Amino acid sequence: MGKMTLQQKLGILSDAAKYDASCSSSGGAKRDSRDGAGLGSTTGSGICHAYAPDGRCISLLKILMTNQCIFDCAYCINRRSSNVRRARFTVDEVVHLTTEFYRRNYIEGLFLSSGIIRSSDYTMEQMVLIVEKLRADGFRGYVHLKTIPDASPELIERAGRCADRLSINIELPQDRSIAELAPEKDGADIRKAMAGVRLLKDSADEPTFRGRRDRFAPAGQSTQMIVGADDSTDADVLGQSTRLYGAYGLKRVYYSAFSPIPDASAVLPLKDPPLMREHRLYQADWLLRYYEFGLDEITSAAPDGNLDLDVDPKLAWALSNRDRFPVDVNRADREALLRVPGFGSKIVDRIVKARRQVTLGLEDIRRMGGRVKAALPFVTARDHHPSGSLDAVDLRARYVKPKQMELFA
Ligand code: SF4
């Protein structure tokens, strides 16, 4: 490994980072193939795209500091017993790469994670040193730093002082799965670390008597959960997310559909879950956070605990709560409008504003951007009074059939 060039290390350690879902290109397909820092041509420069807290899409250098690891998490390609090629960046190498990519406008920030070398504290300190050095050199880009749950509180505090976002992976939806598949990890320890980050952030956000706030992970904390590596249902997954959002003030839970890795452990399923499962979980998560849906409402439309893969969770809920419809677009409150399939929160805001002036018809709603065809059976409007369409036995099928999917898209 001593002879490995920086370019080779970048190839290995950006590839190893692709299993993390926190960037949109986690599958590697959207990798930016530009090369940087005079490194010659590489298999991919490890640039991924992620959403900044203000909603902007930004480019990040996404790498592991090392893919060596003393832990043996069954679902991870970098686990101790895996037979992959290993590499390790020094602190200065990561600082150099990040600075060069940033200077050339290839990236707007750094996403840094790592396998665990020697000990959690040793590894965490190396990662913190990287970010501290970058900041000392005047680097003002965005930094998302993976945090090792059992690293000392002092190191986590240093991490939050220099990084924008901290994330601590919950790994799996249930503690018993963590015990089984990640024997060196502990669900309670992971949550304790999240609580520590929350306390530090809350106290930093509290203005002092001079009105000054300390800087601690201004973009908050997030986590990642692997879906489909154990037998947890979507209700288990969303239940865990709801608890984590509530207890630790997380900004995001990322769902990562388990993908069978080369050289996989025998305790894992042989097949990966459909990617649609991951997609439906993100949609349900969105409803929980922004559409005032309760967990029980979403899971009530998922009788076996798993979301309907054929229709999105909002439509699934509407189909199993037909007595709540049709909703009158000219009178219904905001909460009821948010539950109409095809109406996003922006459309609902526009409807609420516009109906103060006029009585709205379907064309008005179409002009505002509402997906009228999807909403048709569920609303009434000035010129639309459906009768009996909610009772149609084939209502769900109309949304599922390929030609109808096109119609309702
Ligand atoms: S701690 Fe577990 S998940 Fe993280 S790199 Fe090591 S084996 Fe992989």
Side-chain angles (χ1 to χ4, degrees):
M1 199 172 73
K3 291 208 181 88
M4 210 178 272
T5 64
L6 194 52
Q7 176 186 327
Q8 288 168 321
K9 288 186 189 180
L10 181 61
I12 293 172
L13 294 172
S14 62
D15 194 56
K18 76 184 178 189
Y19 293 95
D20 199 292
S22 318
C23 291
S24 60
S25 59
S26 58
K30 294 180 220 153
R31 285 289 176 90
D32 192 319
S33 60
R34 279 178 303 183
D35 185 34
L39 290 165
S41 89
T42 71
T43 49
S45 58
I47 296 174
C48 77
H49 300 103
Y51 288 96
D54 62 5
R56 266 185 333 120
C57 184
I58 55 173
S59 306
L60 301 178
L61 173 62
K62 182 181 180 185
I63 48 171
L64 299 191
M65 184 177 75
T66 178
N67 64 345
Q68 296 164 13
C69 194
I70 55 173
F71 283 14
D72 208 37
C73 309
Y75 47 79
C76 176
I77 192 157
N78 301 319
R79 69 190 190 280
R80 187 177 64 228
S81 59
S82 170
N83 190 25
V84 289
R85 194 165 180 219
R86 310 282 178 171
R88 177 179 166 185
F89 283 130
T90 64
V91 168
D92 286 340
E93 283 171 339
V94 179
V95 171
H96 169 73
L97 277 176
T98 309
T99 312
E100 283 300 306
F101 276 52
Y102 189 68
R103 204 168 56 78
R104 288 159 199 244
N105 281 333
Y106 292 166
I107 56 164
E108 288 154 282
L110 170 69
F111 173 99
L112 183 64
S113 184
S114 184
I116 297 172
I117 29 174
R118 283 196 224 170
S119 68
S120 298
D121 273 357
Y122 174 78
T123 312
M124 195 70 227
E125 179 155 44
Q126 296 285 298
M127 294 168 79
V128 168
L129 279 173
I130 288 169
V131 190
E132 286 178 342
K133 253 187 143 176
L134 279 168
R135 297 299 190 209
D137 291 352
F139 176 75
R140 297 169 68 90
Y142 178 84
V143 176
H144 180 158
L145 195 59
K146 281 274 160 178
T147 308
I148 301 167
D150 56 347
S152 75
E154 293 73 31
L155 284 168
I156 294 183
E157 181 159 6
R158 276 171 62 189
R161 303 252 172 254
C162 53
D164 295 281
R165 168 163 287 183
L166 298 181
S167 56
I168 302 171
N169 283 356
I170 191 72
E171 309 289 354
L172 295 157
Q174 303 189 71
D175 283 2
R176 67 172 169 76
S177 310
I178 297 176
E180 191 188 337
L181 298 178
E184 289 100 346
K185 292 181 178 168
D186 181 89
D189 284 350
I190 295 169
R191 291 190 294 276
K192 198 169 141 203
M194 289 176 172
V197 168
R198 177 172 197 170
L199 280 176
L200 285 165
K201 177 149 179 60
D202 285 353
S203 102
D205 288 350
E206 192 75 24
T208 63
F209 68 94
R210 289 204 177 99
R212 200 175 60 83
R213 288 181 169 81
D214 285 335
R215 186 186 193 283
F216 185 89
Q221 64 168 323
S222 59
T223 194
Q224 173 175 308
M225 210 180 321
I226 299 166
V227 178
D230 66 350
D231 60 0
S232 300
T233 63
D234 292 340
D236 297 327
V237 172
L238 294 168
Q240 177 67 289
S241 300
T242 306
R243 286 188 292 277
L244 296 179
Y245 281 126
Y248 310 114
L250 298 191
K251 289 283 184 230
R252 283 293 298 273
V253 176
Y254 292 95
Y255 304 98
S256 174
F258 166 71
S259 59
I261 46 177
D263 197 19
S265 154
V267 293
L268 290 171
L270 292 172
K271 270 183 31 199
D272 47 339
L275 272 180
M276 184 52 83
R277 183 176 178 197
E278 182 187 290
H279 182 60
R280 295 288 182 231
L281 283 167
Y282 275 116
Q283 290 177 316
D285 182 284
W286 195 259
L287 294 181
L288 289 169
R289 286 187 298 142
Y290 299 116
Y291 282 72
E292 296 168 34
F293 273 79
L295 175 65
D296 51 342
E297 291 179 302
I298 290 177
T299 52
S300 70
D304 64 350
N306 287 311
L307 299 170
D308 191 330
L309 294 181
D310 290 334
V311 295
D312 71 72
K314 191 167 153 190
L315 176 58
W317 178 84
L319 288 167
S320 49
N321 289 275
R322 297 183 199 194
D323 56 319
R324 305 273 294 262
F325 298 95
V327 160
D328 183 345
V329 294
N330 287 297
R331 282 171 209 267
D333 60 23
R334 192 171 183 278
E335 199 198 2
L337 288 171
L338 278 174
R339 286 164 183 256
V340 174
F343 287 3
S345 58
K346 280 194 186 133
I347 307 305
V348 169
D349 289 342
R350 284 176 200 149
I351 289 174
V352 171
K353 196 169 165 208
R355 72 187 185 184
R356 287 186 206 132
Q357 318 291 335
V358 286
T359 307
L360 300 171
L362 290 183
E363 196 44 44
D364 300 315
I365 294 170
R366 198 189 317 276
R367 270 202 304 273
M368 290 174 202
R371 288 162 51 227
V372 168
K373 279 179 183 159
L376 270 185
F378 299 98
V379 291
T380 60
R382 187 189 66 231
D383 50 357
H384 177 65
H385 298 276
S387 65
S389 59
L390 283 168
D391 303 326
V393 282
D394 67 339
L395 187 57
R396 179 181 178 280
R398 280 198 241 157
Y399 285 88
V400 176
K401 283 179 188 165
K403 63 177 179 2
Q404 294 293 343
M405 275 177 73
E406 217 174 76
L407 181 67
F408 287 112

